[in-house]
Amino acid sequence: MPSELPAVSVVIPCRNDAALLEACLLSLARQTVPPREIVVVDNNSSDASAEVARRFGARVVYEPVAGIPAAASAGYDAAAEELDEVSVIARCDADCVLPADWIARIREAFAADPQLEVLSGPGVFYGLPRVPALLLSRLYLGSYYLAMGAALAHWPFFGSNLALRAGSWREVSGEVHRNDAQMHDDVCLSFHLGQGRRCRLDPNLVVGMAPRAVQSRTGLALRFRRAFHTLAGHWPGEYPWVRWSRRFRGRAGAAAAPARG
């Protein structure tokens, strides 16, 4: 049975992205349903990022430890302080442009499924001609989903378009590798939240994202290095075959369990 629509607070890690952050916050200001709160995490910015955030009414949290894992975790912590267990923390990046119904659809998804803990969706590159943007986005994210999905034994979360229950974050906030700047924070979170919990990838919940990830060999190489580093940081206890075995055992156990009347 659907539950009440939950409150949704938005977390945006940011470092020296004032111009892109302004576009992101403008898209949040145009939401059909406004977020309860916007938390912008200033990760040692030397530009006007914090001033832009305050101008749009966001709460600015300063995180001195460099790196997205530390910044995202600080944002989740700050948002969770103001939320009950079933409320939702939505996460995007400073270079995202969000559709006007993003918050509304997140609320509806969590209300429709009270057991849902994590919701994620893909992105499409903006600022490029439509066809190349779609092709590059599918190639980039398709490779991510397939490679990380094979390693995780389930679809990975995508940090540019992510929402999770505040209570779920509290359960794993002490386990994630928040002080390792070389980690992919969304993959790390996928390791700690993605198995044995109800998580969903919604291919229709799409956000716009800047094409910076695919505009240079250096950027792509950095993402590959961080991917391997993130996987290795969770091994050997979370080797792919360990996770796949755990997944199939869980399915077998669920099939063998007696029905509850």
Side-chain angles (χ1 to χ4, degrees), residues 53-105:
R54 292 190 182 98
R55 178 155 48 86
F56 278 86
R59 174 159 61 117
V60 177
V61 173
Y62 177 67
E63 174 50 59
V65 178
I68 296 176
S73 295
Y76 297 150
D77 288 344
E81 288 176 357
E82 306 297 326
L83 297 173
D84 59 24
E85 297 295 293
V86 299
S87 293
V88 174
I89 303 169
R91 150 82 193 279
C92 66
D93 288 325
D95 63 359
C96 288
V97 174
L98 309 162
D101 61 350
W102 189 62
I103 296 293
R105 292 183 61 183

Side-chain angles (χ1 to χ4, degrees), residues 175-196:
E175 301 173 9
V176 297
H177 298 70
R178 61 171 66 207
N179 293 321
D180 187 342
Q182 298 308 308
M183 283 274 174
H184 275 306
D185 68 297
D186 44 7
V187 178
C188 179
L189 190 62
S190 299
F191 268 108
H192 295 280
L193 268 181
Q195 201 163 46

Side-chain angles (χ1 to χ4, degrees), residues 103-121:
I103 296 293
R105 292 183 61 183
I106 289 172
R107 293 177 79 209
E108 290 165 3
F110 280 93
D113 186 354
Q115 302 305 312
L116 183 66
E117 294 194 53
V118 182
L119 177 70
S120 188

Side-chain angles (χ1 to χ4, degrees), residues 113-261:
D113 186 354
Q115 302 305 312
L116 183 66
E117 294 194 53
V118 182
L119 177 70
S120 188
V124 173
F125 293 126
Y126 60 73
L128 299 173
R130 184 174 183 275
V131 173
L134 288 173
L135 291 175
L136 275 173
S137 303
R138 290 177 180 175
L139 177 62
Y140 175 70
L141 281 177
S143 300
Y144 170 72
Y145 284 129
L146 289 174
M148 290 303 169
L152 291 162
H154 58 79
W155 293 118
F157 311 149
F158 181 46
S160 297
N161 188 6
L162 175 65
L164 67 158
R165 300 274 187 190
S168 300
W169 166 250
R170 291 188 186 102
E171 290 181 28
V172 300
S173 62
E175 301 173 9
V176 297
H177 298 70
R178 61 171 66 207
N179 293 321
D180 187 342
Q182 298 308 308
M183 283 274 174
H184 275 306
D185 68 297
D186 44 7
V187 178
C188 179
L189 190 62
S190 299
F191 268 108
H192 295 280
L193 268 181
Q195 201 163 46
R197 299 170 185 263
R198 188 171 297 186
C199 306
R200 185 157 69 89
L201 172 65
D202 181 355
N204 297 312
L205 184 70
V206 183
V207 303
M209 56 186 183
R212 296 185 291 185
V214 295
Q215 286 181 321
S216 72
R217 292 182 180 180
T218 302
L220 284 171
L222 176 62
R223 282 165 173 78
F224 276 107
R225 286 199 303 273
R226 288 180 173 173
F228 285 113
H229 177 79
T230 305
L231 295 176
H234 292 85
W235 292 343
E238 299 293 331
Y239 278 139
W241 51 89
V242 173
R243 293 182 67 85
W244 280 104
S245 175
R246 188 186 303 146
R247 176 172 179 172
F248 287 126
R249 287 200 309 271
R251 283 183 175 178
R260 296 182 180 179

